[in-house]
Amino acid sequence: MTATFAVEDPATLEIIDHVPDLGPADARAAVDRAHAAFADWSRTAPRHRSDVLRRANELMLRDRDELAALIARENGKSLADAAGEVTYAAEFFRWFSEEAVRPGGEYGESPAGGTRTIVTHRPVGVAALVTPWNFPAAMATRKIAPALAAGCTVVLKPAAETPLTALAIARLLAEAGVPDGAVELVTTTDAAGVVTAWLDDPRVRKVSFTGSTGVGRHLLRQAADRVVNASMELGGNAPVVITEDADLDAAVTGTLTAKFRNGGQACTAANRIYVHAAIADDFVERFGAAVEKLVVGRSVDGAEIGPLISSRAVDRVTALVDEATDAGARVTHRAPLPDAPGHFFPPTVLVDVDPASPILQEEVFGPVAPVVVWDDEEEVLRQVNGTEYGLAAYVFAGDLGRALRLGERVDAGMVGINRGLVSDPSAPFGGVKQSGLGREGARAGLREYQETQYLSVDWPA
Ligand code: NAD
């Protein structure tokens, strides 16, 4: 009998379901099937792959409410966040159905004459995909869609906390016409064993990982052994910079979105809020008042903020806040906690945070908003850029020229200007420094699953 593991609802601590706990042998068998499917799938017409992906988009939207409820249940996020995630996740199928028919290529005469160069982009091969629990649908579709569009087949390991959404997406893909073997799922509690089996397998030519920087570094080292093509979407430590001439309403609303979407458990989540001294009191008062009104609880009860994913996550966020307050920070605003057994942490605003506090250096991954007051632009940029992360950043400024200038000087792959949301399937999502390598979404997302080849053709005079 296959071993199984339990999936818990982090808001109630109830067991929702059990799924197979597969191991390295199953991981290799999944590659057998994906490799066999690659032979045919990689030769299908781009238009065929496009049609299948388009159907996947329609089916996801057809099942939007059901999928949102499932995401909310196994991840804990609010139903509104979960429904937003389904739409966002489905959009990757639509976007890459449109990109599938534009594989690109070039034809040209070489400078010396006498030859012609034909450049093509071919599917890289079987791709191993590893995804986190915080966006169980979108992190999967952001990889599966471009991989299938390019003609690759995939083996996917979802996070053990949230395998049910990935299983539901796999069923929809089969209904959409994805052939057997083209998307193979391996649910497991032995992440290292399964992924090592894939990285050791010469038939696996690509690894695309979304998760923490620590695990990403480890996988890059493993991928080096066989020079496996690697895309890494890693951790973030997003700053929000608010200037003295910013539209305060936009800054408050945008920062609330950037901070509290997904309960703060997003790689793009605002981690540090730098407010100009001239408006700092006003900002904290208005932002804090909104934070105190956030409804924390179970998604089914209409909460805006769900639980953290685990008790370990609660301990980690608690420790970060305690270290900050021990060093002089003050809690100015806090939302009430529900009387419930889940892994809840109250949305919290911190001021007077010591610049050396770990809460400003590390990814918080929870609903805590540390506010830092600034009055010198060069100094705030030094603090903003003084971390190894470089995923997202947000700038709120009244003068658009100044906002753009600041945006260009921030070390981040993505900068929200006067808005608290940067994710968009048509834009190249990804980070600089230790936040990652490669991009997802946009045309760039397709290229991650393609190899460039050129044919140099002798040309008769
Ligand atoms: P994680 O690194 O612990 O886990 C991510 C995935 O890797 C999971 O599937 C996990 O099972 C697997 N994994 C863990 N250890 C492994 C190992 N030794 N070998 C192979 N696989 C292993 O991250 P998490 O806690 O699930 O997710 C949160 C992190 O993900 C945060 O750091 C967040 O910033 C990051 N994230 C980044 C993006 C992005 O696009 N840049 C998006 C979402 C989340």
Side-chain angles (χ1 to χ4, degrees), residues 131 133-134 142 157 209-212 233-235 267 363 429:
T131 52
W133 49 264
N134 65 340
R142 202 161 78 177
K157 193 208 82 58
F209 171 76
T210 297
S212 58
E233 295 288 346
L234 308 179
C267 53
E363 200 173 14
F429 190 105

Side-chain angles (χ1 to χ4, degrees), residues 350-365:
L350 279 179
V351 299
D352 298 340
V353 185
D354 185 293
S357 284
I359 200 159
L360 298 180
Q361 310 300 325
E362 293 173 24
E363 200 173 14
V364 178
F365 241 60

Side-chain angles (χ1 to χ4, degrees), residues 41-53 96-103 148-151:
W41 181 254
S42 59
R43 285 197 216 106
T44 52
R47 177 63 70 201
H48 173 73
R49 300 199 292 273
S50 171
D51 288 346
V52 169
L53 290 170
F96 285 108
S97 83
E98 290 160 349
E99 287 299 299
V101 291
R102 300 187 179 87
L148 291 179

Side-chain angles (χ1 to χ4, degrees), residues 435-454:
S435 284
L437 296 171
R439 293 294 181 269
E440 290 190 320
R443 169 64 55 87
L446 186 67
R447 290 281 179 260
E448 300 281 318
Y449 294 90
Q450 292 175 321
E451 299 267 29
T452 300
Q453 181 187 47
Y454 74 82

